[in-house]
């Protein structure tokens, strides 16, 4: 296939062939390798230094009760879904996270309810009753709840002269979630093959870093920025090299990624302080502050800001690095400045499309809040300053700025790492 670049080759390259064909500067490789080795040492040192060992903090895991003492969470199978209530006076007054209340006086006690059969584990010794009627929120019924579905209930134990009471908690969704995950893994394996499988393994390692290091460290009261920087660096080292292989091209992308993470961290710290964000903008944040005295909500928010942009940042930097390598492959006589300029033309298009991705992803997550703004009909600028929306704005903009700045830095590192025409004599 012909190309408009001088010295273009008539074939395409896979990643391994591209890495072996494009020559790199020994001096640039040494500088890049030394820098990444130093960052790796600092990362390992951070993991060792801040690895969670506080027994008092660890003891909080599993110690916090989801429900009041004596309340159990039995499973049941839906037998019948009764007719939903005709008006808004639904006896099921709460969502899946709370207990259903009683309907208004004189209302039909069976409307908006389901009849379920309790599993044997949900019955007390000697208790014969296995079928109970439980009110559910109308949206749950309208979502297609039907006979045979599995649900989880809240069981309030019997008191003096009062029978045990049951309320709806949630639908059991394990099967569709597992099937969707299996389909995702299958599609990735078929389309992306071994590289996709390696990416999934990298994702699993990243999950372990989050669960085994970042969350417990935050629970111990560690600095959110330090935890996020160390954890993010560890994840990126593993994910990039495992997915894309050990090469100078991957190292270039890693350097650009770490730069973007650093910029995001600085902006996140400054923005959280300047905007006076408390980190308690949701019910979950408020619950966390009541469950533990060691966790700092602002540190949790800072950590979330840094981690939020990792995936998109990684995507941009590896693409930029590969683009510069490909340009050098098809145009071996191109000067470094021209190589950077051509790479940035690709990068600008990538920036534009990625910015859309970030903004619309957060807009989709915040859609209920945006709808409330529309309903309240309050000034938009006034609503944007609420804690919940301000957090999303800071998270989005800090990640976006780090991403945008990572593009020219990654492109410049790649252009300087690859041999120029004068280097070959």
């Amino acid at each position: 296939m012909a190309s408009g670049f001088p010295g273009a080759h008539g074939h395409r390259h896979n990643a391994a062939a591209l890495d072996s064909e494009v020559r790199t500067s020994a001096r640039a490789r040494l500088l890049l390798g030394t820098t990444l080795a130093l960052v790796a040492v600092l990362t390992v040192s951070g993991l060792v230094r801040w690895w969670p060992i506080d027994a008092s903090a660890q003891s909080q895991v599993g110690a916090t009760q989801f429900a009041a003492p004596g309340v159990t969470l039995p499973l049941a199978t839906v037998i019948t879904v009764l007719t939903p209530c005709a008006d808004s006076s639904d006896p099921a007054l709460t969502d899946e996270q709370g207990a259903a209340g009683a309907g208004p006086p004189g209302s039909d006690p069976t409307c908006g309810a389901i009849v379920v059969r309790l599993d044997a584990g949900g019955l007390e010794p000697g208790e014969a009753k296995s079928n109970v009627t439980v009110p559910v929120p109308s949206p749950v019924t309208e979502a297609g709840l039907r006979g045979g579905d599995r649900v989880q209930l809240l069981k309030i134990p019997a008191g003096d002269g009062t029978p045990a009471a049951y309320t709806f908690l949630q639908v059991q969704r394990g099967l569709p979630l597992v099937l969707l995950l299996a389909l995702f893994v299958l599609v990735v394996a078929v389309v992306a093959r071994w590289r996709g499988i390696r990416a999934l393994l990298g994702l699993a390692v990243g999950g372990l870093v989050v669960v085994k290091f970042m969350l417990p460290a935050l629970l111990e009261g560690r600095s959110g920025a330090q935890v996020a920087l160390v954890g993010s660096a560890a994840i990126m080292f593993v994910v990039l090299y495992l997915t894309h292989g050990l090469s100078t091209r991957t190292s270039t992308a890693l350097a650009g990624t770490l730069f973007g993470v650093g910029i995001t961290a600085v902006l996140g710290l400054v923005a959280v302080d300047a905007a006076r964000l408390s980190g308690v903008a949701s019910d979950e944040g408020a619950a966390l502050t009541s469950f533990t005295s060691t966790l700092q909500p602002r540190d949790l928010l800072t950590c979330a800001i840094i981690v939020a942009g990792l995936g998109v940042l990684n995507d941009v930097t590896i693409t930029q690095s590969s683009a510069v390598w490909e340009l050098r492959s098809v145009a071996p006589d191109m000067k470094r400045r021209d190589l950077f300029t051509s790479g940035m033309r690709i990068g600008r298009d990538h920036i534009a499309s990625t910015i859309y991705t970030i903004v619309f992803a957060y807009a989709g997550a915040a859609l209920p809040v945006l709808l409330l703004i529309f309903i309240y009909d309050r000034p938009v600028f006034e609503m944007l300053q609420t804690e919940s929306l301000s957090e999303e704005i800071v998270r989005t903009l800090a990640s976006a700025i780090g991403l945008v700045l990572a593009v020219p830095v990654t492109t410049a590192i790649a252009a300087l790492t690859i041999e120029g025409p004068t280097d070959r004599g």
Side-chain angles (χ1 to χ4, degrees):
M1 183 176 66
S3 172
F5 289 108
H9 299 277
H11 61 278
R12 293 178 181 265
H13 307 272
N14 59 35
L18 188 63
D19 289 333
S20 62
E21 179 175 318
V22 175
R23 299 176 60 182
T24 54
S25 166
R27 182 181 301 175
R29 286 201 312 272
L30 177 61
L31 179 60
L32 179 61
T34 302
T35 302
L36 291 179
L38 177 60
V39 175
V41 170
L42 292 174
T43 300
V44 173
S45 299
L47 288 172
V48 172
R49 180 179 178 183
W50 294 313
W51 192 266
I53 57 174
D54 186 351
S56 62
Q58 289 292 319
S59 65
Q60 298 178 61
V61 179
T64 302
Q65 295 293 326
F66 177 76
V71 174
T72 56
L73 308 175
L75 297 177
T77 302
V78 177
I79 300 175
T80 306
V81 179
L82 303 178
T83 305
C85 297
D87 56 22
S88 60
S89 300
D90 194 333
L93 299 177
T94 64
D95 60 14
E96 291 188 358
Q97 299 304 316
S107 65
D108 182 356
T110 65
C111 78
I114 55 176
V115 179
V116 300
R117 178 181 295 111
L118 294 170
D119 287 0
L123 298 174
E124 299 293 338
E127 187 178 8
K129 184 179 181 181
S130 61
N131 289 0
V132 295
T133 301
V134 183
V136 296
S138 294
V140 176
T141 305
E142 294 166 359
L145 192 65
R146 59 177 64 91
D149 287 346
R150 299 278 290 166
V151 295
Q152 189 171 36
L153 309 176
L154 272 171
K155 179 182 179 181
I156 303 172
D160 296 335
T162 61
Y166 296 87
T167 58
F168 175 80
L169 180 64
Q170 64 186 16
V171 177
Q172 293 296 95
R173 303 180 175 95
L175 180 60
L177 294 181
V178 169
L179 291 177
L180 188 59
L181 175 61
L183 179 60
F184 167 69
V185 172
L186 177 63
V187 169
V188 169
V190 170
V191 176
R193 300 183 181 178
W194 283 113
R195 179 161 297 189
I197 294 175
R198 293 199 301 270
L200 292 174
L201 291 175
L203 183 62
V205 172
L208 286 175
V209 172
V210 171
V211 173
K212 296 297 184 180
F213 170 68
M214 298 178 73
L215 296 182
L218 288 169
L219 192 60
E220 286 188 358
R222 304 291 187 186
S223 164
Q226 292 174 345
V227 170
L229 286 172
V230 171
S232 297
I235 291 171
M236 287 297 99
F237 268 99
V238 174
V239 167
L240 279 169
Y241 283 129
L242 180 61
T243 304
H244 303 284
L246 288 167
S247 67
T248 306
R249 178 173 59 90
T250 306
S251 297
T252 300
L254 177 58
T257 301
L258 295 175
F259 172 83
V261 169
I263 291 295
T264 303
V266 172
L267 290 174
L269 283 168
V270 172
V272 168
D273 181 67
R276 305 294 189 267
L277 294 175
S278 67
V280 187
S282 63
D283 293 339
E284 291 81 5
L288 283 172
T289 59
S290 65
F291 290 154
T292 173
S293 59
T294 54
L295 177 67
Q296 302 300 318
R298 285 163 63 90
D299 283 331
L300 179 60
L301 174 59
T302 303
C303 184
I305 291 171
I306 298 171
V307 174
L310 280 184
V312 180
L313 186 59
N314 167 37
D315 171 55
V316 169
T317 56
I318 195 66
T319 300
Q320 281 305 110
S321 182
S322 296
V324 173
W325 249 253
E326 188 68 38
L327 286 168
R328 170 57 77 214
S329 174
V330 298
D333 296 325
M334 183 183 291
K335 295 180 179 180
R336 283 195 174 102
R337 177 176 295 180
D338 296 332
L339 198 60
F340 173 80
T341 302
S342 297
M344 280 304 299
R345 281 199 290 268
I346 299 172
R348 291 186 187 98
D349 286 339
H350 202 184
I351 287 173
S353 61
T354 306
I355 291 300
Y356 299 148
T357 301
I358 292 177
V359 173
F360 284 121
Y362 286 128
L367 203 57
V369 180
L370 296 176
L371 186 57
L372 280 176
I373 293 176
F374 177 77
I375 293 174
Y376 289 152
D377 195 26
R378 290 177 60 190
V380 173
F381 187 68
E382 179 181 314
M383 290 297 295
L384 292 178
Q385 297 180 67
T386 60
E387 178 97 11
S388 57
L389 282 181
S390 293
E391 281 189 6
E392 294 300 329
I393 292 171
V394 167
R395 197 186 337 260
T396 302
L397 296 182
S399 299
I401 293 171
L403 180 151
V404 170
L405 292 179
V407 170
V409 170
T410 305
T411 308
I413 294 173
L416 292 171
T417 302
I418 293 175
E419 280 190 350
T422 58
D423 298 324
R424 294 190 291 269

